[in-house]
Amino acid sequence: MRLLVIGCGGVAQVAIQKCAQNKEVFTHMCLASRTVSKCDALKEKIEKAGYPVEITTATVNADDAQDVVRVIREYKPDAVLNVALPYQDLAIMDACLECKVDYIDTANYEPEDTDEPVWRAAYEKRCKEKGFTAYFDYSYQWAYMDKFKEAGITGLLGTGFDPGVTSVFTAYAKKHYFDRIDTIDILDCNGGDHGYAFATNFNPEINLREVSANGSYWEDGHWVETKPMEIKREYDFPEVGKKDMYLLHHEEIEALGRNFPEVKRIRFFMTFGQSYLDHMRCLEDVGMLSTTPIKFEGKDIVPIQFLKALLPDPASLGPRTVGKTNIGCIFRGVKDGKEKVIYIYNVCDHQECYKELGSQAISYTTGVPAMIGTALVLKGDWKRPGVYTTDEFDPDPYMDMLNEYGLPWVVDENPVEVE
Ligand code: NDP
């Protein structure tokens, strides 16, 4: 099968190397990105490692659907894996539609310019109607459902770890452990230490936009919004230990709330150390997290993009990050008339990831599921015309591949719950 991968950052580097390991599915790959030298360097690394995949590279501006169409027409892939930024989702989906090629991504669309008037008006209406204020929501991508169906192509949205694996865990829990799920707590713990005073583990702009926003959770069919970091809990994570975690808005809540309407409450928590939070608050207070351009010496600059240029490249954190991540979901529900609670999670070691692929665990835990989702669409197991999230397919082959490709999972049938 021929795969076109767009983007060559931290997540892409893992996804592409994992595709190379899966030689039954991925025989040909084109690595295309804004900075083609990164694609060339990765091609050389993979060829040196002796993987039998044939790789070419290309330059693409994925903000421009027609430029993506050009690369698709030249390369003729069976599918496109988008591991660029959420800003490019719709342009790449448009190109896939025009060329009738399957589409896969790891993150929900959000606009780069949040002051653009047409988008802003729709956003403000949605905030009022739906009750959450995150810049991203699924409506823009779900709107492609009929067009993808008519074209006979599959759109698989959000096949990273969270979203992605956490949604597959939910489908798996429902299939094998519950007649009804009542509550879901998604817990994302990074117990890793990179030794910098402040750095983000994936694209700083996307990461800081997400964690500085209001929190929210889904309860009884509607959103409950909180101030940023308003809800804090401590949890003792298997293989990591006790960590403070904070309630955030997160994209899989929207899809799970829609696709599992019986679930009464869905929350998402992420761990942060005090130093990270202090730095973030300070940067926010001085305006460095703003997405609105300001004039500086006659030029327009976007403060958060300037900050990104100052911070360490997440792809460079691999050699210095030690410790483990633990990401998973605690489900409470009912089976055969009895209440039960289970916790499905994966533990991933930063240094083990670095030894295997030269990446830290955040890129690894996102890149492996990106390969798995793509492989399942290409093999046909998850091919279904339309646009879907990962909780809408049979979870079993995905769960098997997590074990096979480096993200083994555990089911704890007697976990401590989050208060
Ligand atoms: P990086 O910033 O490291 O990489 C992004 C890549 O996309 C870079 O190679 C960049 O090019 C390229 N790119 C950016 N804009 C364009 C464009 N207009 N045209 C072509 N290429 C472009 O990001 P990450 O690897 O950390 O993240 C990748 C994606 O994964 C993001 O969407 C992120 O939100 C998502 N993610 C999902 C997670 C999940 O669990 N679901 C977790 C973590 C991340 P250049 O090299 O020139 O900058």
Side-chain angles (χ1 to χ4, degrees):
M1 293 277 188
R2 297 169 74 82
L3 179 68
L4 169 63
V5 185
I6 300 184
C8 200
V11 172
Q13 303 262 337
V14 173
I16 292 162
Q17 291 183 79
K18 281 288 171 182
C19 288
Q21 289 178 5
N22 185 349
K23 58 180 188 300
E24 280 76 39
V25 178
F26 303 97
T27 55
H28 296 74
M29 273 193 279
C30 175
L31 317 184
S33 193
R34 184 168 55 188
T35 311
V36 75
S37 56
K38 291 188 189 171
C39 306
D40 292 333
L42 184 59
K43 168 179 162 36
E44 202 185 316
K45 181 175 171 182
I46 291 174
E47 284 171 352
K48 263 199 193 136
Y51 292 114
V53 54
E54 246 180 65
I55 299 182
T56 57
T57 63
T59 306
V60 69
N61 172 13
D63 289 320
D64 174 2
Q66 284 313 307
D67 203 38
V68 181
V69 167
R70 171 189 63 78
V71 177
I72 295 177
R73 294 219 163 111
E74 275 167 25
Y75 189 67
K76 300 186 177 44
D78 297 292
V80 175
L81 170 61
N82 166 17
V83 266
L85 297 179
Y87 309 148
Q88 283 89 44
D89 287 4
L90 302 187
I92 300 175
M93 288 177 85
D94 284 336
C96 286
L97 200 53
E98 191 168 329
C99 301
K100 295 197 173 28
V101 176
D102 295 330
Y103 168 88
I104 298 105
D105 72 26
T106 64
N108 198 188
Y109 169 70
E110 66 182 89
E112 184 161 14
D113 177 5
T114 53
D115 293 320
E116 195 279 312
V118 175
W119 180 85
R120 191 85 207 171
Y123 165 75
E124 279 165 11
K125 185 165 171 275
R126 185 266 280 165
C127 291
K128 275 200 202 112
E129 282 171 8
K130 292 201 179 167
F132 69 97
T133 54
Y135 287 145
F136 50 86
D137 72 74
Y138 272 112
S139 63
Y140 290 89
Q141 292 183 278
W142 281 339
Y144 284 74
M145 179 60 111
D146 289 344
K147 288 184 272 184
F148 268 50
K149 273 188 182 164
E150 276 162 31
I153 57 171
T154 303
L156 179 63
L157 308 182
T159 179
F161 206 106
D162 44 339
V165 176
T166 50
S167 305
V168 175
F169 284 172
T170 305
Y172 186 79
K174 183 70 197 283
K175 181 172 175 184
H176 297 284
Y177 288 88
F178 293 99
D179 297 325
R180 188 187 79 218
I181 297 177
D182 291 327
T183 64
I184 306 172
D185 279 332
I186 303 163
L187 312 188
D188 180 333
C189 165
N190 180 7
D193 181 5
H194 44 58
Y196 286 117
F198 187 73
T200 64
N201 292 295
F202 68 96
N203 183 281
E205 193 180 330
I206 305 299
N207 184 232
L208 289 166
R209 272 189 184 205
E210 175 180 279
V211 302
S212 59
N214 283 341
S216 67
Y217 58 97
W218 183 250
E219 191 166 54
D220 295 329
H222 65 271
W223 293 97
V224 181
E225 192 157 70
T226 69
K227 294 270 167 270
M229 310 293 164
E230 185 183 328
I231 298 184
K232 175 183 173 183
R233 299 281 187 272
E234 188 190 64
Y235 196 78
D236 194 356
F237 288 92
E239 296 191 48
V240 175
K242 282 189 185 159
K243 293 276 173 199
D244 288 338
M245 59 183 193
Y246 298 82
L247 186 139
L248 298 185
H249 176 83
H250 222 247
E251 62 202 69
E252 63 266 58
I253 304 178
E254 191 185 4
L256 294 173
R258 181 187 82 157
N259 298 336
F260 296 79
E262 85 267 20
V263 180
K264 294 192 183 75
R265 191 189 67 201
I266 311 172
R267 302 184 295 186
F268 180 97
F269 290 91
M270 190 177 274
T271 61
F272 296 104
Q274 198 52 49
S275 166
Y276 182 96
L277 294 177
D278 290 344
H279 278 81
M280 201 177 74
R281 188 162 305 124
C282 176
L283 290 165
E284 186 160 34
D285 287 348
V286 297
M288 283 300 286
L289 302 189
S290 170
T291 54
T292 303
I294 57 152
K295 278 262 181 266
F296 179 72
E297 295 187 345
K299 278 192 191 147
D300 275 341
I301 61 164
V302 177
I304 198 168
Q305 288 178 355
F306 179 69
L307 174 65
K308 179 186 175 212
L310 294 175
L311 291 174
D313 177 358
S316 72
L317 298 177
R320 34 189 308 147
T321 308
V322 292
K324 292 177 181 178
T325 61
N326 179 326
I327 318 177
C329 308
I330 300 177
F331 304 96
R332 169 174 278 282
V334 174
K335 178 77 176 172
D336 299 330
K338 280 197 199 121
E339 288 265 326
K340 67 184 290 183
V341 183
I342 66 164
Y343 183 16
I344 312 182
Y345 62 85
N346 160 261
V347 173
C348 192
D349 185 298
H350 285 284
Q351 279 300 302
E352 292 298 320
C353 299
Y354 184 68
K355 268 187 237 148
E356 185 193 326
L357 297 182
S359 294
Q360 34 85 353
I362 306 300
S363 303
Y364 191 96
T365 53
T366 310
V368 172
M371 179 282 284
I372 294 174
T374 307
L376 290 175
V377 171
L378 283 173
K379 285 199 301 176
D381 306 57
W382 279 25
K383 182 148 178 73
R384 187 194 303 159
V387 172
Y388 305 96
T389 45
T390 57
D391 50 280
E392 296 181 86
F393 295 93
D394 179 7
D396 292 355
Y398 198 109
M399 294 294 273
D400 291 343
M401 286 180 80
L402 287 170
N403 284 330
E404 191 183 344
Y405 284 96
L407 294 178
W409 40 273
V410 173
V411 181
D412 176 353
E413 299 203 38
N414 189 23
V416 175
E417 288 182 86
V418 180
E419 184 201 310

